[in-house]
Amino acid sequence: MNSFEQLKGHLIVSCQALPHEPLHSSFIMGRMARAAAEGGAFGIRANTKEDIGEIKKNTDLPIIGIVKRDYEDSSVYITPTMKEIDELMEVKPEIIAIDATTALRPGNVTLDDFYHAIRKKYPHQSLMADCSTVEEAIHADTLGFDFIGTTLVGYTPQSEKDKIEKNDFEIIRKILENVSHPVVAEGNINTPEKAKRVIQLGCYSVVVGSIITRPQLITKSFVEEIAKLEK
């Protein structure tokens, strides 16, 4: 079984902690990935070559790699330029995910031009499109991305009214009906039941992050529920 087949029908755990978060540490993310593997995860999504390098020391699970980086002239922050692609290729994740929205990349580069530049430089690297709308998913599918992700639904101006789980995952069902490449469900999937449902609908795999790997947010959800008793 190759690494891509391994992901089919299974859980990918996102192990990320940004610089302002309490668990920010490549060492910690490596151990977080090991814990996810022990729990039965079939893949990991991770940010930065440093974290991915450490995760590879702790598990042999396939990795979806990204680099989150802000640029002043663009709202795109998930693997926005070739600089981030080159960094990731130093640690060779099985899949590299990039923002596949309609927003221009730094330097006013379009998604199409960026996609073709990556394919020319790294023709054998598998790519995942992080999309926010059905239209973006269809366009990414037409371009030829290997995987179509719902990562950015609700996080862009063109999708802020949408919720990924609304109406029994209507946006996922529409994407599945209109693309030919495998769909990876990601974003606000915060219960085992929701993860199971998107696989039932036909998604190739499902990425779950914060509810597993961000204890500060998990704690907050408990605190907020208890606080309702005081109202």
Side-chain angles (χ1 to χ4, degrees):
M1 181 184 294
N2 67 36
S3 57
F4 300 137
E5 291 174 344
Q6 176 178 329
L7 297 174
K8 187 174 183 179
H10 293 297
L11 174 69
I12 299 165
V13 174
S14 181
C15 298
Q16 300 180 44
L18 298 175
H20 66 276
E21 295 182 275
L23 295 189
H24 178 64
S25 158
S26 294
F27 173 80
I28 293 174
M29 288 303 103
R31 295 307 175 95
M32 190 74 79
R34 183 188 294 183
E38 288 188 11
F42 278 73
I44 302 293
R45 179 168 165 127
N47 173 40
T48 76
K49 67 177 184 180
E50 291 81 10
D51 283 11
I52 293 170
E54 185 64 27
I55 288 168
K56 282 177 171 284
K57 296 176 184 176
N58 283 270
T59 172
D60 59 359
L61 295 179
I63 295 172
I64 301 173
I66 63 171
V67 176
K68 289 182 175 177
R69 186 167 288 145
D70 294 320
Y71 286 82
E72 290 185 359
D73 63 339
S74 175
S75 61
V76 172
Y77 64 93
I78 298 177
T79 324
T81 76
M82 192 63 74
K83 173 181 170 65
E84 288 76 38
I85 297 289
D86 290 339
E87 290 175 10
L88 289 169
M89 290 305 295
E90 293 179 29
V91 288
K92 295 181 172 57
E94 282 72 15
I95 302 167
I96 289 178
I98 71 170
D99 179 307
T101 67
T102 55
L104 291 173
R105 270 114 272 271
N108 290 325
V109 176
T110 65
L111 171 64
D112 292 39
D113 287 345
F114 186 40
Y115 172 83
H116 292 305
I118 298 169
R119 287 298 196 202
K120 182 177 180 180
K121 191 170 185 179
Y122 300 111
H124 303 297
Q125 175 61 44
S126 293
L127 300 176
M128 174 172 158
D130 286 348
C131 303
S132 71
T133 67
V134 175
E135 293 74 20
E136 289 169 352
I138 293 171
H139 183 65
D141 185 61
T142 301
L143 275 176
F145 277 89
D146 302 283
F147 296 90
I148 309 298
T150 60
T151 318
L152 293 171
V153 174
Y155 294 101
T156 62
Q158 63 269 30
S159 72
E160 59 188 0
K161 70 181 186 304
D162 296 320
K163 283 190 173 181
I164 197 171
E165 72 272 25
K166 187 170 65 175
N167 299 329
D168 190 27
F169 298 99
E170 179 181 14
I171 193 167
I172 286 179
R173 287 189 280 114
K174 286 182 178 178
I175 290 172
L176 285 165
E177 290 169 2
N178 287 281
V179 304
S180 59
H181 290 90
V183 174
V184 177
E186 180 174 4
N188 294 307
I189 299 172
N190 53 11
T191 69
E193 292 76 21
K194 289 180 183 179
K196 177 183 176 182
R197 181 58 179 153
V198 297
I199 296 297
Q200 286 178 324
L201 290 172
C203 288
Y204 192 82
S205 52
V206 55
V207 176
V208 178
S210 296
I211 201 64
I212 295 176
T213 58
R214 283 192 163 101
Q216 72 273 27
L217 298 183
I218 302 167
T219 302
K220 184 180 178 183
S221 68
F222 279 86
V223 170
E224 289 176 346
E225 194 63 28
I226 292 170
K228 292 177 182 177
L229 294 172
E230 302 171 2
K231 295 180 180 179

